[in-house]
Amino acid sequence: MQHHTTILLIEIGALLFGLGMLGRLGRRFGLSPIPLYLLAGLAFGQGGLIPLSASEEFIAIGAQIGVILLLVMLGLEYSADELVGNLRSAAPAGLIDMLLNALPGAAFALLLGWDWKAALVLAGITWVSSSGVIAKVLGDLGRVGNRETPVILSVLVIEDLAMAFYLPLVTAVLAGLGLAGGLSTLSVAVVTVVAVLVVAIRYGGEISRFMSVKDPEALLLSVLGLTLFIAGVAGELKVSEAVGAFLVGIAISGPVAHHATEILSPLRDLFAAVFFVFFGLSTTPSDMPKVILPALGLAVLTMATKVLTGYLAARRAGIALPGRWRTGLALMPRGEFSVVIAGLAVVYGADPQLAPLATAYVLITVVTGPMLARLTDYAWFKEMLRKRMAAQRAAQKPLPSPE
């Protein structure tokens, strides 16, 4: 037991120190550290250079906490009223998002000769963006306060809420429970989400008043404990832990939200890094070459449809051209939900090629997405957008009336 504990400390210490160096290296070259964390996970995962044996369970739990903290921090940035307003205005964008990104996944599965159940699974994998990755990218690029960020968050929240209904349904289908079993699990998910939303919107002020900003230690323990508790309850009720954590952030308001953001930021950065490493750790590199070309084709197609989704959603919200592109490019990465959906397919014996295809697909989007999100910061891209905006203004000018 003592030997296992010391090996655990050695592995975690070396891993965290290495991640710190990789993060520093990435920022020196103007890169997001996310792809580097993923590659580190691949290097130390199954079939990698140096497998981590003692710390797998710790890293898995840390990864779950990482996603939860990323989402509660996003929720702290916005009030309940803003959430409801954004959800109402973004509902059409959510529908467009589903059509443009779920249907290509389903069609791709059918083209590969898979059955309709595998098509339903792949539709979910290509539909939903990674809230965890996107939250990290927005923070790294300093865009949390941008005008287009509420549009991005609205799309993500609609997707996360949709997953609260999709996951129970796809689980019932894969398990062969039939229509009655699927409707039963779906009903539980609907009631749970509505109840949490009502509590967050109506009683958020009372929840905040129970917490004191004068005692940072008590505030940290209260907010973190409440977030983990609600996320766990949401998970037990077959609703996404991420949705539960986000709604906790929404429910906390005023000075409490401001101080909670400050004290939770270091914890979020730590466990978010662990989440990205865990994703790489859970991937077997030797499974990737067989499916890399189909995964690449699917990634190119559905990253383009995500850009179109974000562009249309931002245009509908009255965002200027640069913000529309920032919205679309930010939405490209897939992540935690896609991995969960693929995991369900494996558990219930779906097509054996589905899991490696999904893993390769997610890795491609997660590695390239944060890099492409920086396109709008480059001078040549800004110049291209400036010329396009000038051309649009010129086209809109009324022609001079004849003398």
Side-chain angles (χ1 to χ4, degrees):
M1 182 67 183
Q2 179 64 31
H3 175 70
H4 176 80
T5 302
T6 55
I7 295 298
L8 174 66
L9 292 174
I10 290 170
E11 287 186 357
I12 293 173
L15 179 64
L16 293 179
F17 180 80
L19 294 179
M21 295 299 101
L22 285 175
R24 183 180 179 187
L25 179 68
R27 288 184 175 86
R28 174 169 290 184
F29 290 98
L31 299 173
S32 169
I34 293 172
L36 300 178
Y37 295 159
L38 283 167
L39 294 175
L42 278 174
F44 294 110
Q46 303 170 14
L49 300 175
I50 310 173
L52 300 177
S53 56
S55 54
E56 285 183 357
E57 186 177 355
F58 176 89
I59 293 173
I61 295 171
Q64 284 186 296
I65 295 174
V67 175
I68 289 168
L69 287 175
L70 282 166
L71 269 294
V72 73
M73 294 287 284
L74 271 182
L76 287 169
E77 296 289 338
Y78 298 93
S79 69
D81 291 336
E82 288 173 327
L83 172 67
V84 173
N86 288 333
L87 285 177
R88 285 173 179 167
S89 62
L95 180 60
I96 292 171
D97 180 31
M98 181 185 69
L99 294 175
L100 287 179
N101 297 286
L103 292 182
F108 200 85
L110 295 174
L111 286 174
L112 290 174
W114 296 350
D115 63 15
W116 68 271
K117 292 182 180 180
L120 178 64
V121 170
L122 196 57
I125 290 170
T126 57
W127 173 14
V128 63
S129 298
S130 171
S131 300
V133 174
I134 293 168
K136 176 68 173 170
V137 170
L138 292 176
D140 287 345
L141 299 181
R143 296 181 183 172
V144 172
N146 281 21
R147 187 163 178 256
E148 74 273 2
T149 299
V151 178
I152 297 172
L153 292 182
S154 297
V155 173
L156 293 178
V157 171
I158 288 174
E159 288 180 349
D160 286 351
L161 290 174
M163 286 298 104
F165 309 135
Y166 169 86
L167 288 175
L169 183 62
V170 79
T171 302
V173 168
L174 291 172
L177 296 180
L179 182 61
L183 291 176
S184 175
T185 55
L186 186 60
S187 299
V188 173
V190 171
V191 171
T192 304
V193 170
V194 171
V196 174
L197 271 174
V198 169
V199 171
I201 292 169
R202 291 194 175 181
Y203 304 107
E206 285 75 6
I207 293 172
S208 297
R209 280 193 283 274
F210 276 111
M211 303 177 187
S212 172
V213 298
K214 297 178 181 178
D215 188 343
E217 180 182 345
L219 181 61
L220 171 62
L221 294 172
S222 301
V223 174
L224 182 59
L226 180 64
T227 302
L228 295 177
F229 175 78
I230 295 298
V233 170
E236 281 295 310
L237 294 171
K238 309 301 181 187
V239 180
S240 160
E241 291 93 340
V243 172
F246 182 82
L247 293 175
V248 170
I250 290 292
I252 298 172
S253 58
V256 174
H258 174 72
H259 287 274
T261 300
E262 291 182 345
I263 61 175
L264 284 175
S265 291
L267 278 178
R268 175 202 58 191
D269 295 340
L270 167 63
F271 285 105
V274 173
F275 162 68
F276 297 120
V277 170
F278 173 74
F279 190 74
L281 285 174
S282 59
T283 303
T284 304
S286 60
D287 291 340
M288 311 289 278
K290 307 170 192 174
V291 295
I292 195 67
L293 286 179
L296 183 60
L298 184 61
V300 170
L301 172 63
T302 54
M303 287 171 79
T305 56
K306 272 293 179 183
V307 173
L308 179 59
T309 298
Y311 186 96
L312 294 175
R315 185 177 71 176
R316 189 175 182 278
I319 307 296
L321 188 61
R324 296 175 197 172
W325 279 99
R326 285 194 295 268
T327 303
L329 292 169
L331 287 170
M332 289 189 294
R334 273 62 161 193
E336 57 274 13
F337 278 122
S338 300
V339 177
V340 169
I341 295 166
L344 287 173
V346 172
V347 169
Y348 290 105
D351 194 286
Q353 281 192 311
L354 200 154
L357 174 72
T359 301
Y361 167 78
V362 170
L363 276 173
I364 291 168
T365 63
V366 169
V367 169
T368 59
M371 295 179 181
L372 293 173
R374 293 175 176 267
L375 275 179
T376 53
D377 294 336
Y378 292 117
W380 64 268
F381 199 91
K382 290 180 179 179
E383 181 63 18
M384 181 186 74
L385 293 181
R386 189 190 64 79
K387 289 180 179 179
R388 185 174 172 184
M389 292 169 70
Q392 288 177 345
R393 284 193 294 268
Q396 291 171 357
K397 283 184 179 178
L399 294 173
S401 56
E403 293 290 339

